[in-house]
Amino acid sequence: MIPISLVPVRILLVDDTPTNLKVLSEALQGQGWKTLMATDGESAIEQAEYALPDLILLDVMMPGIDGFETCQRLKANAKVQHIPIIFMTALSDSINKVRGLELGAVDYITKPFQQEEVIARVKLHLSISHLNQSLQTKIAEQAETEAQLQQLAQELEQRVRDRTAELEISLHQLKTTQLQLVQSEKMSTLGQLVAGVGHEINNPINFVSGNLKHIDDYTRDLFALIQMYQRKDSAEDIAEFIEDIDLEYVAEDLPKLIKSIHEGVHRLKDISLSLRSFARSDISSKTEFQLREGIESTIMLLKHRLKANEKHPEIQIIRQYAELPPISCYPGQLNQVFMNLIANAIDAFEEKNETRSYAEIVESPNMIWISTEIDRSNQTVLIRVKDNGLGMLPEIQSQIFEPSFTTKPVGKGTGLGLPISRQIVNEKHGGQLECRSIVGEGTEFTISLPI
Ligand SMILES: Nc1ncnc2c1ncn2[C@@H]1O[C@H](COP(=O)(O)OP(=O)(O)OP(=O)(O)O)[C@@H](O)[C@H]1O
Ligand SMILES: [Mg+2]
């Protein structure tokens, strides 16, 4: 089919014989096509460049440059090389036909002309050329689309880069916030600690002051008795007074009261020592520290949570300490790690105990095993904190070191205990904090520290 176009089809006829031109021209015009004419190769090339015809009918034998030469030049010219060329040659001339086709012509027609054949071939090659051109346009369009796609991809890449940069900034901010949170977590641990210690101090103070009241009464009675002796009161009066004040009981009770006051004072001293040891947060430099001392002071400060109460008997702590050399570390921070691990174990017991009666708990009591050992081959010390609490499901266990991950009710857990502990152990001490847990059996945390 011939392309429908507003511009009529134009065909350049090249032949040195005017009669040929005339015959051809009439035949083609009969199809509604416009014809252009040239009588030699040079002017054919000129016209082709100038008028850009849709097709060229080219005679082989011409004076000056012949059809082949003309064809060669046209095909070498970027401006016109797309225009289909049909050679016109004598019927017998099969060598010429082949040569023409080799030079880039699309077809040939033989003289003398068969009008119908010429028209049919021209029509065919116009269609092919048209198809070709739309194909070229399509290819060009596609190339453009590809270029656009490429540009889009580049833009996208740039956006990803920008976004990554933004994300990095956010991450940095997040880390800063996290550090601030760490600080506030420290504060809340400290808050809990102070409350616990307050509770802990209250006990000995209460019984010391209660005992002092009795001692006060007893001393008053004893002085009165001495005065009776000094006044040389009658033996009956003295005997009666001795009975009144129950001297026998006082003699028995007074040493007990004093002993118990001693205990109370001793306990207060312990607490004060533990507090001092716990609060040794040598932030700027490492100190030689006996880990055992840190663990003990932590246990002491958590005593109020370990004691028996109406819900459960005392939580037992089983210690297995190895002979360890002092370790160079930040004691205040390691104590915080011990505190977090032991507090977590106690929390796990509390949750576990919710569904058990007192008798059931007595039957299988809450226990925490704390051990230290030294691995000389690896030059590390290992500190284990193990409990027989609830244990954890693997999907929980995989998240416990994520900041803010908690399974505890709002207000109870911040989910920062373990991430902070890991940060302290890994980053501050070049060690490792690992967890192993089995649901229904319990959990074991292992801290390993390089010596
Ligand atoms: N010994 C343990 N037994 C069972 N689950 C534990 C134990 N230790 C930690 N977990 C689980 O890991 C979670 C994260 O512990 P982490 O100490 O980081 O935060 P938290 O105890 O929930 O809150 P916070 O310590 O800030 O008060 C806990 O909520 C709990 O589910
Ligand atoms: Mg915790």
Side-chain angles (χ1 to χ4, degrees):
M1 93 246 62
I2 310 295
I4 299 156
S5 159
L6 290 176
V7 187
V9 170
R10 289 168 316 155
I11 298 167
L12 174 60
L13 309 173
V14 191
D15 201 315
D16 58 331
T17 320
T19 343
N20 279 349
L21 285 176
K22 190 165 174 282
V23 173
L24 271 173
S25 172
E26 273 167 12
L28 296 174
Q29 279 168 4
Q31 295 298 311
W33 300 329
K34 254 186 102 174
T35 52
L36 312 164
M37 286 176 246
T39 48
D40 61 76
E42 303 274 5
S43 61
I45 294 170
E46 226 169 86
Q47 269 210 62
E49 272 192 343
Y50 167 74
L52 294 175
D54 297 287
L55 190 138
I56 301 173
L57 281 170
L58 182 60
D59 187 21
V60 175
M61 301 294 287
M62 288 186 295
I65 60 169
D66 65 2
F68 295 132
E69 169 95 42
T70 311
C71 179
Q72 224 162 6
R73 288 208 206 164
L74 284 168
K75 289 295 161 196
N77 183 338
K79 211 171 155 197
V80 294
Q81 64 191 175
H82 66 279
I83 302 172
I85 298 174
I86 300 176
F87 270 112
M88 300 184 286
T89 178
L91 186 56
S92 57
D93 218 353
S94 76
I95 294 177
N96 279 351
K97 288 173 193 164
V98 173
R99 185 148 178 236
L101 291 175
E102 276 172 0
L103 286 175
V106 291
D107 207 349
Y108 56 84
I109 48 182
T110 46
K111 296 182 194 177
F113 304 121
Q114 290 286 313
Q115 268 207 25
E116 288 79 13
E117 191 197 348
V118 175
I119 288 168
R121 285 189 193 267
V122 169
K123 269 188 185 172
L124 173 67
H125 289 291
L126 281 173
S127 305
I128 292 177
S129 164
H130 177 72
L131 271 178
N132 221 347
Q133 271 169 39
S134 27
L135 204 65
Q136 293 298 330
T137 325
K138 281 265 145 55
I139 290 171
E141 277 172 11
Q142 198 169 341
E144 197 177 333
T145 316
E146 256 167 44
Q148 281 171 353
L149 273 177
Q150 207 160 5
Q151 191 178 347
L152 261 178
Q154 273 167 8
E155 278 172 20
L156 209 68
E157 243 174 76
Q158 185 56 44
R159 270 166 58 186
V160 170
R161 270 200 295 271
D162 291 351
R163 194 87 189 94
T164 312
E166 277 170 31
L167 278 176
E168 259 160 29
I169 294 171
S170 316
L171 188 66
H172 181 75
Q173 283 165 350
L174 242 171
K175 279 195 174 152
T176 319
T177 321
Q178 198 187 336
L179 268 184
Q180 283 163 356
L181 272 175
V182 168
Q183 217 50 45
S184 66
E185 156 70 3
K186 262 192 183 159
M187 292 310 291
S188 83
T189 312
L190 206 66
Q192 281 177 22
L193 200 73
V194 170
V197 170
H199 191 268
E200 203 59 16
I201 289 177
N202 234 4
N203 249 356
I205 286 182
N206 273 344
F207 71 70
V208 166
S209 70
N211 287 354
L212 277 178
K213 161 104 186 31
H214 288 300
I215 289 176
D216 202 28
D217 290 346
Y218 290 163
T219 352
R220 217 187 303 272
D221 289 346
L222 289 179
F223 272 117
L225 183 60
I226 292 168
Q227 275 167 359
M228 285 177 89
Y229 277 115
Q230 283 174 334
R231 282 202 308 266
K232 299 193 168 68
D233 283 2
S234 69
E236 291 82 46
D237 284 352
I238 289 175
E240 196 180 330
F241 187 67
I242 284 176
E243 190 137 342
D244 278 352
I245 63 172
D246 200 351
L247 183 61
E248 207 177 327
Y249 179 76
V250 171
E252 202 181 299
D253 197 35
L254 193 56
K256 280 191 193 161
L257 288 181
I258 289 170
K259 188 166 170 254
S260 134
I261 285 176
H262 269 306
E263 272 168 19
V265 171
H266 192 70
R267 178 111 187 80
L268 287 172
K269 239 167 143 177
D270 268 357
I271 294 170
S272 148
L273 262 177
S274 301
L275 256 185
R276 279 231 304 271
S277 156
F278 191 87
R280 280 176 60 183
S281 35
D282 308 80
I283 299 207
S284 52
S285 64
K286 287 191 174 178
T287 321
E288 298 274 297
F289 181 58
Q290 276 291 355
L291 293 179
R292 174 194 188 131
E293 196 187 305
I295 298 170
E296 283 305 316
S297 62
T298 308
I299 295 174
M300 166 71 74
L301 294 177
L302 281 169
K303 208 149 219 168
H304 64 287
R305 295 196 62 197
L306 297 167
K307 267 192 272 198
N309 61 23
E310 70 281 3
K311 288 196 188 129
H312 63 78
E314 182 169 351
I315 296 170
Q316 297 173 29
I317 300 230
I318 294 143
R319 301 153 166 92
Q320 288 162 304
Y321 294 130
E323 281 298 321
L324 295 184
I327 303 294
S328 165
C329 64
Y330 300 100
Q333 298 189 7
L334 276 190
N335 284 342
Q336 209 187 332
V337 175
F338 303 147
M339 172 72 86
N340 281 328
L341 297 184
I342 301 172
N344 277 350
I346 299 172
D347 289 343
F349 291 142
E350 279 177 4
E351 200 183 330
K352 183 178 177 181
N353 291 344
E354 263 168 27
T355 56
R356 303 198 302 162
S357 69
Y358 200 95
E360 280 170 322
I361 303 171
V362 172
E363 187 82 350
S364 79
N366 304 141
M367 299 210 273
I368 301 177
W369 291 264
I370 300 177
S371 70
T372 60
E373 70 190 75
I374 187 160
D375 182 342
R376 297 218 178 260
S377 60
N378 288 331
Q379 287 289 298
T380 46
V381 290
L382 301 173
I383 305 129
R384 292 183 215 278
V385 178
K386 187 174 135 189
D387 64 64
N388 61 349
L390 282 173
M392 284 174 256
L393 291 166
E395 55 264 39
I396 300 284
Q397 210 189 316
S398 62
Q399 299 179 77
I400 56 173
F401 291 107
E402 309 264 331
S404 304
F405 175 82
T406 180
T407 56
K408 293 167 194 171
V410 181
K412 184 126 198 291
T414 63
L416 287 172
L418 289 177
I420 288 172
S421 300
R422 184 169 253 188
Q423 194 179 27
I424 290 174
V425 173
N426 289 25
E427 285 167 30
K428 293 287 170 70
H429 292 89
Q432 264 167 348
L433 174 60
E434 304 294 342
C435 169
R436 262 178 0 114
S437 184
I438 298 173
V439 177
E441 286 190 20
T443 304
E444 180 179 69
F445 283 93
T446 307
I447 305 168
S448 62
L449 296 174
I451 302 174

